[in-house]
Amino acid sequence: MQGFGELEAALMELLWRRGTATTVREALAELRWHRELAYTTVMTVFDNLHRKGWLTREPAGRAYRYLPAMSRDQYVAQTMHDALVDSGDRLEALTAFVGKMTLDEAAALRAALSTYERRIGGR
């Protein structure tokens, strides 16, 4: 995932997949099959993601339960927007992007544009 380190990305994926507030201990238990991690390592990464604004947290006894600050779809949309802003030529970037789409993806883009145009047209 762009913008995340390897463990950050794994933890964000875990939180998005779970869809519920998660403690460090719960996350650690789910990641153990993948690789051996220290509790303090996962706690530090969660804390870093919280400080960066990627996670919210709520007290759970002496620990915290963490939730993503945005959905996976919102994250992907933000990443796409950031890439577009960073491009030298937005029209060229969009043209190249659309050129890589399947017909189904192009139809979904048309539907999304229609929905957006109806929404802003009704203001």
Side-chain angles (χ1 to χ4, degrees):
M1 289 189 141
Q2 183 178 350
F4 294 126
E6 181 184 342
L7 185 52
E8 288 176 328
L11 289 169
M12 290 300 294
E13 284 293 333
L14 181 144
L15 292 172
W16 281 321
R17 186 179 67 248
R18 283 181 60 106
T20 61
T22 303
T23 65
V24 171
R25 193 161 309 286
E26 291 166 339
L28 191 59
E30 285 195 39
L31 289 177
R32 281 236 164 90
W33 68 269
H34 180 61
R35 66 186 214 201
E36 198 62 33
L37 294 166
Y39 180 93
T40 54
T41 301
V42 175
M43 182 178 66
T44 299
V45 174
F46 270 168
D47 187 57
N48 288 343
L49 288 166
H50 176 259
R51 281 188 297 102
K52 293 176 182 178
W54 293 109
L55 298 178
T56 61
R57 66 184 182 192
E58 56 193 38
R62 293 177 51 198
Y64 290 104
R65 290 190 169 280
Y66 293 88
L67 279 167
M70 65 178 68
S71 72
R72 181 192 325 251
D73 291 337
Q74 290 169 324
Y75 169 76
V76 169
Q78 184 63 50
T79 302
M80 291 168 63
H81 178 263
D82 292 347
L84 187 58
V85 168
D86 289 345
S87 73
D89 182 339
R90 286 184 180 199
L91 179 58
E92 181 62 31
L94 284 169
T95 302
F97 178 67
V98 170
K100 294 181 183 293
M101 289 182 167
T102 65
L103 291 177
D104 287 344
E105 290 167 340
L109 178 59
R110 275 190 210 87
L113 286 169
S114 293
T115 299
Y116 174 73
E117 288 167 350
R118 280 192 305 275
R119 189 178 326 137
I120 65 168
R123 287 184 183 176

